[in-house]
Amino acid sequence: MLRRAGPSLRHFLLERKIGAGYSSCSSEVKMSRPVQARRLEGIDKNIWVEFVKLAATYSTVNLGQGFPDFSPPDFLKEAFVRALSRENHMLHQYTRAFGHPPLVKILAQFFGKLLGHDLDPMTDVMVTVGAYQALFCCFQAFVDEGDEVIIIEPFFDCYEPMVKMAGGMPVFVPLRPKAPEDGKLMSSADWQLDPAELASKFSERTKAIVLNSPNNPLGKVFSRGELELIADLCVKHDVLCISDEVYEWLVYNGKEHIRIASLQGMWDRTVIIGSAGKTFSATGWKVGWAMGPNRLLQHLRTVHQNSVYHCATVAQEAVAQGFRRELELYGKPDSYFIQLPKVLQQKRDWLVQSLDAVGMKPIVPEGTYFLVADISEFKSNVPDVPDSDEPYDSRFAKWMVKNKGLAAIPLSAFYCGAHKNNYNHFIRFCFAKEEATLKAANDILQKWKREKTSP
Ligand code: PMP
């Protein structure tokens, strides 16, 4: 019966299509109505898409996008291989939607200890596809049409489009640089919030503030005083805090990473966001998480269950094992969370020296694996395009990768449209790179400097 009905139904549909003008590709009728949803207006450009392509095409040394060019630790890779090859074939199938049980359990145990707060693994922790998805879930879960979200500049660029896609209004407040003492290099700690300016951004329309400490791109690690200022304003105005802490282990010179959720009145209103990509130098695994009280997390689960639903099981299993190891070694010299920042601090110091020597003044970061440098002294080298709307640092970075083979990211990419040109003479380098990569960058800069100074 079905076999006989098939061809005649196809024939009928084909005739209808031909009748409706869908005859062949060559005479296809194009849609005329606009297809793009309004919420995508103005957010189609993306700095990473643009600069990753440029780096792939032109760079010989890539200090642009933030990822290590060295391997994750052996214990983590071995955990992945074990998870893959174990008899438990269920590790190849879907796991619990809101997080593989071994991972949420160890995250709850590990961070509960650090936060001084009992975390229920099933309700207070959710695993996501990288920190990106945790952020996306937050904005979708909390932001309504017209809600304002305060973003501290410079900021990880996706916060702005994510707020807009949720229908919200980003409100920007810049960290303001103050000159360092004579003869000293500027530090990321010299970039500070103006307390009155910050307070003026809070209103009854404010739903949330995004905090990113340690901060990408500056490497600023917010001090207790700065966090208390933010916390007091959150409590006073009954505002949520989305705390992006993906670089929590990457702090230098004994600087302490303070979790804002541990401050008075903040636990109940904060979602903490983390990333195994940054924690274990495995950015391609895309395992992230959100943590906070069930009152908040339940809404993230609603977004997650209706969009992504599951994250890769094997990667979660391996990350769980990584955290189990780190819990045992916590605070001990063999802990990866002690060793990684030690290694990275040396790389930071090396790049600081290298940039300083050629006159590309570095802003010494207290955390993360990024370093922002002032390009003012190199300006004359790069052809100016006076009528271009594009910020100078962006043109500079493009010129640099095409002509010198060195990739970096313009700082203006981390500012809103209106403020981009206020900070257009800096570029960001990633120093989570092998010694050979950093040396190759140094060679390029040295050669460039010689060419600049030779008559
Ligand atoms: N937040 C910040 C501040 C970041 O720098 C990044 C990655 N560059 C993310 C979130 C996203 O992390 P993931 O790769 O885990 O999605």
Side-chain angles (χ1 to χ4, degrees):
M1 275 277 286
L2 273 175
R3 284 192 69 204
R4 284 184 57 198
S8 60
L9 181 64
R10 268 209 308 278
H11 185 73
F12 168 74
L13 290 172
L14 201 68
E15 285 206 324
R16 284 202 52 187
K17 270 190 175 177
I18 293 168
Y22 289 94
S23 56
S24 70
C25 290
S26 57
S27 60
E28 198 175 318
V29 175
K30 295 267 190 321
M31 280 188 76
S32 56
R33 66 156 74 177
V35 289
Q36 181 204 287
R38 268 199 308 281
R39 65 180 166 275
L40 302 191
E41 266 164 30
I43 60 167
D44 51 332
K45 284 225 172 79
N46 178 291
I47 182 75
W48 308 111
V49 173
E50 190 179 11
F51 273 84
V52 165
K53 191 169 166 207
L54 279 170
T57 313
Y58 298 105
S59 77
T60 44
V61 182
N62 186 0
L63 303 191
Q65 200 187 10
F67 61 88
D69 70 349
F70 47 82
S71 189
D74 287 346
F75 67 82
L76 194 78
K77 288 189 293 183
E78 284 158 14
F80 198 103
V81 172
R82 265 200 314 277
L84 261 184
S85 52
R86 268 204 349 228
E87 286 301 294
N88 184 1
H89 61 87
M90 287 310 288
L91 290 177
H92 295 277
Q93 308 305 331
Y94 295 135
T95 181
R96 179 176 165 269
F98 305 119
H100 188 47
L103 180 56
V104 288
K105 280 182 195 156
I106 191 69
L107 286 173
Q109 202 181 339
F110 192 98
F111 286 97
K113 207 169 125 177
L114 295 181
L115 288 159
H117 225 286
D118 278 345
L119 293 177
D120 182 329
M122 297 300 149
T123 58
D124 303 348
V125 183
M126 185 176 91
V127 176
T128 54
V129 180
Y132 255 109
Q133 194 222 333
L135 287 162
F136 186 76
C137 286
C138 284
F139 296 120
Q140 290 294 320
F142 302 135
V143 177
D144 261 327
E145 205 68 33
D147 282 347
E148 290 186 358
V149 177
I150 298 174
I151 297 176
I152 300 167
E153 290 178 310
F155 60 92
F156 181 48
D157 64 299
C158 73
Y159 303 154
E160 180 181 6
M162 283 195 190
V163 169
K164 287 181 174 165
M165 276 192 283
M169 281 263 298
V171 172
F172 299 98
V173 57
L175 288 165
R176 299 208 174 268
K178 64 175 175 44
E181 285 167 35
D182 270 355
K184 274 192 140 185
L185 286 176
M186 187 178 251
S187 150
S188 56
D190 294 324
W191 291 59
Q192 290 180 2
L193 288 165
D194 172 337
E197 189 178 18
L198 177 65
S200 75
K201 303 292 175 183
F202 282 76
S203 74
E204 71 278 7
R205 291 182 302 280
T206 312
K207 186 70 183 279
I209 182 166
V210 188
L211 171 71
N212 174 214
S213 180
N215 163 276
N216 173 10
L218 274 179
K220 177 181 173 67
V221 180
F222 284 66
S223 68
R224 186 173 289 279
E226 289 170 313
L227 295 176
E228 280 170 353
L229 170 74
I230 295 168
D232 288 350
L233 286 164
C234 286
V235 172
K236 182 172 168 200
H237 294 273
D238 204 18
V239 160
L240 291 166
C241 180
I242 299 167
S243 184
D244 180 344
E245 303 183 20
V246 300
Y247 300 103
E248 60 195 323
W249 303 108
L250 310 185
V251 286
Y252 310 122
N253 297 109
K255 185 98 194 178
E256 189 192 2
H257 168 60
I258 298 165
R259 295 174 170 78
I260 196 165
S262 66
L263 301 188
Q264 186 75 28
M266 289 307 286
W267 168 251
D268 195 45
R269 60 181 70 250
T270 303
V271 176
I272 302 167
I273 289 173
S275 165
K278 313 295 173 178
T279 299
F280 289 117
S281 311
T283 58
W285 290 20
K286 290 297 290 185
V287 175
W289 54 85
M291 277 181 302
N294 184 36
R295 191 180 82 78
L296 304 182
L297 269 264
Q298 63 177 322
H299 305 300
L300 271 66
R301 290 198 291 275
T302 306
V303 180
H304 183 72
Q305 77 198 11
N306 293 309
S307 50
V308 170
Y309 204 72
H310 283 108
C311 306
T313 310
V314 176
Q316 292 188 66
E317 172 70 22
V319 172
Q321 293 192 31
F323 267 105
R324 246 180 252 135
R325 175 194 188 268
E326 287 305 304
L327 185 63
E328 267 172 34
L329 292 176
Y330 189 72
K332 301 198 176 124
D334 282 348
S335 159
Y336 190 64
F337 300 165
I338 302 270
Q339 288 184 345
L340 179 64
K342 237 191 202 165
V343 171
L344 286 173
Q345 185 171 325
Q346 283 168 0
K347 293 181 188 293
R348 176 199 71 164
D349 293 345
W350 201 87
L351 188 61
V352 162
Q353 269 188 5
S354 156
L355 290 167
D356 194 29
V358 294
M360 209 179 258
K361 284 204 191 62
I363 300 168
V364 183
E366 308 151 275
T368 75
Y369 42 48
F370 302 115
L371 188 162
V372 170
D374 189 329
I375 54 173
S376 303
E377 280 191 30
F378 281 68
K379 269 191 161 178
S380 56
N381 224 238
V382 180
D384 216 340
V385 189
D387 294 331
S388 170
D389 284 345
E390 189 178 1
Y392 184 82
D393 59 346
S394 176
R395 284 183 276 130
F396 180 95
K398 285 180 186 168
W399 180 91
M400 185 169 83
V401 70
K402 286 180 185 165
N403 292 276
K404 303 290 171 189
L406 179 60
I409 305 293
L411 186 68
S412 61
F414 302 88
Y415 282 86
C416 71
H419 297 163
K420 281 187 191 302
N421 270 311
N422 300 347
Y423 299 90
N424 64 359
H425 57 287
F426 297 98
I427 53 176
R428 189 202 77 172
F429 294 102
C430 173
F431 57 83
K433 304 291 173 189
E434 293 282 14
E435 210 179 299
T437 316
L438 295 174
K439 284 220 164 90
N442 181 56
D443 291 347
I444 291 174
L445 291 167
Q446 292 287 352
K447 185 162 174 263
W448 187 356
K449 169 132 196 247
R450 281 197 300 276
E451 287 162 4
K452 232 161 62 77
T453 46
S454 63

